[in-house]
Amino acid sequence: MSLYEMIESAFLQVLKTGQTPSRLYLTDEGLRQLINDPTLGASWTPSIPDFWDQRVLGLPLQKSLAHNAIEANGQLIVIGL
């Protein structure tokens, strides 16, 4: 399962619990995986040169030193553990 598929799955699980996802936290390696993911790579907005300013599933990106995670209602849900 690719990182994007894990993010998408976590995003849907968050929605199913009635929470609102608000931000996606990625490590540098996580961002590299998404940039190289053929599923998502084509959807990056070319007019936004800095990948950190892109959005994934409508969520703004934030750099994380420790884990890839989705923030929902003030809580972090770690992705890919």
Side-chain angles (χ1 to χ4, degrees), residues 14-31:
V14 166
L15 291 177
K16 284 180 186 176
T17 63
Q19 298 181 65
T20 304
S22 58
R23 185 169 298 276
L24 179 61
Y25 290 84
L26 294 173
T27 61
D28 284 328
E29 178 58 28
L31 181 65

mmCIF file of all heavy atoms in Angstrom, residues 14-31:
data_model
loop_
_atom_site.group_PDB
_atom_site.id
_atom_site.type_symbol
_atom_site.label_atom_id
_atom_site.label_comp_id
_atom_site.label_asym_id
_atom_site.label_seq_id
_atom_site.Cartn_x
_atom_site.Cartn_y
_atom_site.Cartn_z
ATOM 1 N N VAL A 14 -11.284 8.888 9.472
ATOM 2 C CA VAL A 14 -11.545 10.077 10.292
ATOM 3 C C VAL A 14 -12.946 10.616 9.989
ATOM 4 O O VAL A 14 -13.718 10.920 10.893
ATOM 5 C CB VAL A 14 -10.462 11.158 10.049
ATOM 6 C CG1 VAL A 14 -10.882 12.507 10.617
ATOM 7 C CG2 VAL A 14 -9.135 10.727 10.661
ATOM 8 N N LEU A 15 -13.273 10.705 8.708
ATOM 9 C CA LEU A 15 -14.603 11.195 8.325
ATOM 10 C C LEU A 15 -15.708 10.284 8.856
ATOM 11 O O LEU A 15 -16.748 10.766 9.317
ATOM 12 C CB LEU A 15 -14.711 11.317 6.805
ATOM 13 C CG LEU A 15 -13.879 12.409 6.143
ATOM 14 C CD1 LEU A 15 -14.036 12.344 4.627
ATOM 15 C CD2 LEU A 15 -14.260 13.784 6.663
ATOM 16 N N LYS A 16 -15.484 8.971 8.806
ATOM 17 C CA LYS A 16 -16.493 8.017 9.283
ATOM 18 C C LYS A 16 -16.776 8.170 10.768
ATOM 19 O O LYS A 16 -17.867 7.866 11.232
ATOM 20 C CB LYS A 16 -16.050 6.581 8.995
ATOM 21 C CG LYS A 16 -16.206 6.183 7.553
ATOM 22 C CD LYS A 16 -15.750 4.744 7.340
ATOM 23 C CE LYS A 16 -15.775 4.380 5.878
ATOM 24 N NZ LYS A 16 -15.259 3.030 5.641
ATOM 25 N N THR A 17 -15.777 8.635 11.531
ATOM 26 C CA THR A 17 -15.978 8.812 12.971
ATOM 27 C C THR A 17 -16.615 10.158 13.293
ATOM 28 O O THR A 17 -16.819 10.483 14.460
ATOM 29 C CB THR A 17 -14.649 8.697 13.747
ATOM 30 O OG1 THR A 17 -13.775 9.753 13.327
ATOM 31 C CG2 THR A 17 -13.991 7.347 13.533
ATOM 32 N N GLY A 18 -16.905 10.947 12.258
ATOM 33 C CA GLY A 18 -17.553 12.232 12.474
ATOM 34 C C GLY A 18 -16.591 13.364 12.791
ATOM 35 O O GLY A 18 -17.016 14.474 13.100
ATOM 36 N N GLN A 19 -15.295 13.097 12.724
ATOM 37 C CA GLN A 19 -14.300 14.137 12.983
ATOM 38 C C GLN A 19 -13.995 14.878 11.681
ATOM 39 O O GLN A 19 -14.311 14.409 10.599
ATOM 40 C CB GLN A 19 -13.021 13.520 13.543
ATOM 41 C CG GLN A 19 -13.218 12.820 14.878
ATOM 42 C CD GLN A 19 -11.914 12.258 15.369
ATOM 43 O OE1 GLN A 19 -10.993 12.998 15.671
ATOM 44 N NE2 GLN A 19 -11.823 10.936 15.428
ATOM 45 N N THR A 20 -13.366 16.034 11.828
ATOM 46 C CA THR A 20 -13.019 16.846 10.673
ATOM 47 C C THR A 20 -11.510 16.903 10.513
ATOM 48 O O THR A 20 -10.826 17.489 11.350
ATOM 49 C CB THR A 20 -13.571 18.278 10.845
ATOM 50 O OG1 THR A 20 -14.974 18.199 11.068
ATOM 51 C CG2 THR A 20 -13.288 19.122 9.614
ATOM 52 N N PRO A 21 -10.974 16.302 9.439
ATOM 53 C CA PRO A 21 -9.531 16.405 9.201
ATOM 54 C C PRO A 21 -9.173 17.845 8.829
ATOM 55 O O PRO A 21 -9.907 18.494 8.080
ATOM 56 C CB PRO A 21 -9.277 15.461 8.040
ATOM 57 C CG PRO A 21 -10.584 14.948 7.581
ATOM 58 C CD PRO A 21 -11.647 15.507 8.438
ATOM 59 N N SER A 22 -8.064 18.345 9.377
ATOM 60 C CA SER A 22 -7.728 19.749 9.126
ATOM 61 C C SER A 22 -6.326 19.963 8.570
ATOM 62 O O SER A 22 -6.054 21.007 7.980
ATOM 63 C CB SER A 22 -7.888 20.562 10.403
ATOM 64 O OG SER A 22 -7.080 20.044 11.430
ATOM 65 N N ARG A 23 -5.415 19.013 8.761
ATOM 66 C CA ARG A 23 -4.033 19.212 8.329
ATOM 67 C C ARG A 23 -3.370 17.848 8.163
ATOM 68 O O ARG A 23 -3.710 16.900 8.842
ATOM 69 C CB ARG A 23 -3.288 20.034 9.375
ATOM 70 C CG ARG A 23 -1.872 20.415 9.001
ATOM 71 C CD ARG A 23 -1.296 21.439 9.971
ATOM 72 N NE ARG A 23 -2.030 22.678 9.960
ATOM 73 C CZ ARG A 23 -1.842 23.683 9.092
ATOM 74 N NH1 ARG A 23 -0.936 23.572 8.158
ATOM 75 N NH2 ARG A 23 -2.549 24.781 9.158
ATOM 76 N N LEU A 24 -2.408 17.795 7.244
ATOM 77 C CA LEU A 24 -1.633 16.581 7.025
ATOM 78 C C LEU A 24 -0.192 16.867 7.397
ATOM 79 O O LEU A 24 0.411 17.809 6.885
ATOM 80 C CB LEU A 24 -1.731 16.157 5.557
ATOM 81 C CG LEU A 24 -0.957 14.915 5.144
ATOM 82 C CD1 LEU A 24 -1.446 13.686 5.905
ATOM 83 C CD2 LEU A 24 -1.094 14.693 3.645
ATOM 84 N N TYR A 25 0.348 16.095 8.316
ATOM 85 C CA TYR A 25 1.745 16.226 8.748
ATOM 86 C C TYR A 25 2.570 15.175 8.031
ATOM 87 O O TYR A 25 2.210 13.998 8.022
ATOM 88 C CB TYR A 25 1.863 16.024 10.262
ATOM 89 C CG TYR A 25 1.253 17.151 11.044
ATOM 90 C CD1 TYR A 25 -0.106 17.181 11.327
ATOM 91 C CD2 TYR A 25 2.044 18.199 11.502
ATOM 92 C CE1 TYR A 25 -0.662 18.223 12.032
ATOM 93 C CE2 TYR A 25 1.494 19.254 12.214
ATOM 94 C CZ TYR A 25 0.139 19.253 12.476
ATOM 95 O OH TYR A 25 -0.420 20.300 13.168
ATOM 96 N N LEU A 26 3.669 15.605 7.407
ATOM 97 C CA LEU A 26 4.539 14.687 6.686
ATOM 98 C C LEU A 26 5.995 14.893 7.075
ATOM 99 O O LEU A 26 6.433 16.025 7.284
ATOM 100 C CB LEU A 26 4.434 14.928 5.171
ATOM 101 C CG LEU A 26 3.108 14.611 4.500
ATOM 102 C CD1 LEU A 26 3.147 15.064 3.055
ATOM 103 C CD2 LEU A 26 2.799 13.139 4.595
ATOM 104 N N THR A 27 6.714 13.792 7.150
ATOM 105 C CA THR A 27 8.169 13.875 7.301
ATOM 106 C C THR A 27 8.738 14.224 5.923
ATOM 107 O O THR A 27 8.034 14.154 4.907
ATOM 108 C CB THR A 27 8.740 12.528 7.773
ATOM 109 O OG1 THR A 27 8.445 11.538 6.779
ATOM 110 C CG2 THR A 27 8.174 12.114 9.126
ATOM 111 N N ASP A 28 10.018 14.571 5.866
ATOM 112 C CA ASP A 28 10.656 14.821 4.568
ATOM 113 C C ASP A 28 10.551 13.586 3.674
ATOM 114 O O ASP A 28 10.281 13.691 2.483
ATOM 115 C CB ASP A 28 12.130 15.211 4.743
ATOM 116 C CG ASP A 28 12.301 16.648 5.215
ATOM 117 O OD1 ASP A 28 11.472 17.506 4.854
ATOM 118 O OD2 ASP A 28 13.278 16.911 5.942
ATOM 119 N N GLU A 29 10.749 12.405 4.258
ATOM 120 C CA GLU A 29 10.650 11.161 3.493
ATOM 121 C C GLU A 29 9.218 10.941 3.004
ATOM 122 O O GLU A 29 8.997 10.496 1.880
ATOM 123 C CB GLU A 29 11.110 9.965 4.326
ATOM 124 C CG GLU A 29 10.989 8.628 3.622
ATOM 125 C CD GLU A 29 11.761 8.538 2.307
ATOM 126 O OE1 GLU A 29 12.781 9.221 2.131
ATOM 127 O OE2 GLU A 29 11.312 7.765 1.429
ATOM 128 N N GLY A 30 8.243 11.247 3.847
ATOM 129 C CA GLY A 30 6.841 11.127 3.439
ATOM 130 C C GLY A 30 6.529 12.021 2.257
ATOM 131 O O GLY A 30 5.843 11.605 1.313
ATOM 132 N N LEU A 31 7.027 13.253 2.278
ATOM 133 C CA LEU A 31 6.806 14.157 1.151
ATOM 134 C C LEU A 31 7.457 13.604 -0.110
ATOM 135 O O LEU A 31 6.853 13.615 -1.181
ATOM 136 C CB LEU A 31 7.336 15.558 1.463
ATOM 137 C CG LEU A 31 7.131 16.576 0.340
ATOM 138 C CD1 LEU A 31 5.653 16.841 0.095
ATOM 139 C CD2 LEU A 31 7.863 17.870 0.651
#
